Amino acid sequence: MQTITFAAIIVLSMKKILFIFIVALFSISTTAQEKTMGKDSTTFKGYFYNEKYNVYLVIDFYHNNVVVPNQEIYGEMAGYFGDRQDGRKWLFTNAKIISKDKAEIQITNDYGSEDLTATLTAIDDKNFKLRQEEGSTLKIARNRKWVKMPKELDFVKR
């Protein structure tokens, strides 16, 4: 009788060990898939600069934890579009990574009066293209006048 009980305990223990092993293996493969799909990448994270217009992007589309300097009241967001000569910002209120090299962004000005949809595309590891798709147009202040940005802006990741 004790032999049967001991054998039953061993079989149950082996089933538990096998179950734990399968669950661990599944979670490892899920993590690997997320990394290959760009979920744990740095493609859409960092500081990006456009020398021609002296404008930049600060983004983190993975954690959405960017705080705009001197505008902390807005809280954490996906990022922002800034101008080196003016303190106004365009806020990235929502960003969705569509593929490993493309993200869709919802952008609004810091007053909330204008908004647009744009895409940010990685050309390679350092070069990116911001394309304004629909809605308002990105503008910056130069010599007390508003200057519209072109529909497509090139950025270099620094």
Side-chain angles (χ1 to χ4, degrees):
M1 189 81 172
Q2 286 182 335
T3 309
I4 296 172
T5 307
F6 183 69
I9 291 173
I10 290 175
V11 169
L12 285 174
S13 296
M14 293 297 285
K15 285 182 179 179
K16 286 181 183 178
I17 291 171
L18 183 62
F19 176 75
I20 291 170
F21 177 74
I22 290 171
V23 168
L25 189 62
F26 177 73
S27 67
I28 289 170
S29 73
T30 303
T31 304
Q33 286 175 352
E34 284 181 2
K35 287 183 180 179
T36 58
M37 291 297 291
K39 300 288 185 195
D40 193 27
S41 177
T42 58
T43 302
F44 295 107
K45 179 180 179 178
Y47 179 85
F48 303 77
Y49 187 68
N50 177 293
E51 193 170 333
K52 181 177 181 181
Y53 292 98
N54 206 15
V55 294
Y56 61 93
L57 307 174
V58 176
I59 62 171
D60 186 347
F61 294 171
Y62 304 100
H63 303 104
N64 295 313
N65 61 356
V66 176
V67 177
V68 181
N70 301 317
Q71 297 182 12
E72 292 83 5
I73 193 165
Y74 296 121
E76 295 180 341
M77 59 188 59
Y80 60 92
F81 173 93
D83 177 5
R84 304 275 297 180
Q85 298 177 17
D86 186 47
R88 287 174 267 243
K89 307 285 188 261
W90 287 81
L91 313 174
F92 295 179
T93 55
N94 190 20
K96 180 181 178 184
I97 299 172
I98 298 171
S99 66
K100 67 178 181 159
D101 61 348
K102 190 172 188 177
E104 186 176 274
I105 315 162
Q106 299 298 318
I107 305 173
T108 186
N109 66 354
D110 50 5
Y111 293 106
S113 61
E114 297 184 67
D115 62 351
L116 65 129
T117 301
T119 55
L120 183 64
T121 306
I123 308 303
D124 55 38
D125 289 345
K126 291 208 177 258
N127 296 297
F128 290 76
K129 186 174 294 290
L130 179 70
R131 178 171 172 73
Q132 300 175 54
E133 300 293 339
E134 55 186 54
S136 301
T137 302
L138 287 171
K139 297 176 216 143
I140 57 174
R142 290 289 186 269
N143 300 322
R144 295 189 283 171
K145 293 184 181 180
W146 289 112
V147 176
K148 290 183 178 182
M149 295 285 94
K151 284 284 189 191
E152 290 187 356
L153 283 168
D154 295 322
F155 288 89
V156 176
K157 188 173 187 178
R158 294 204 175 170

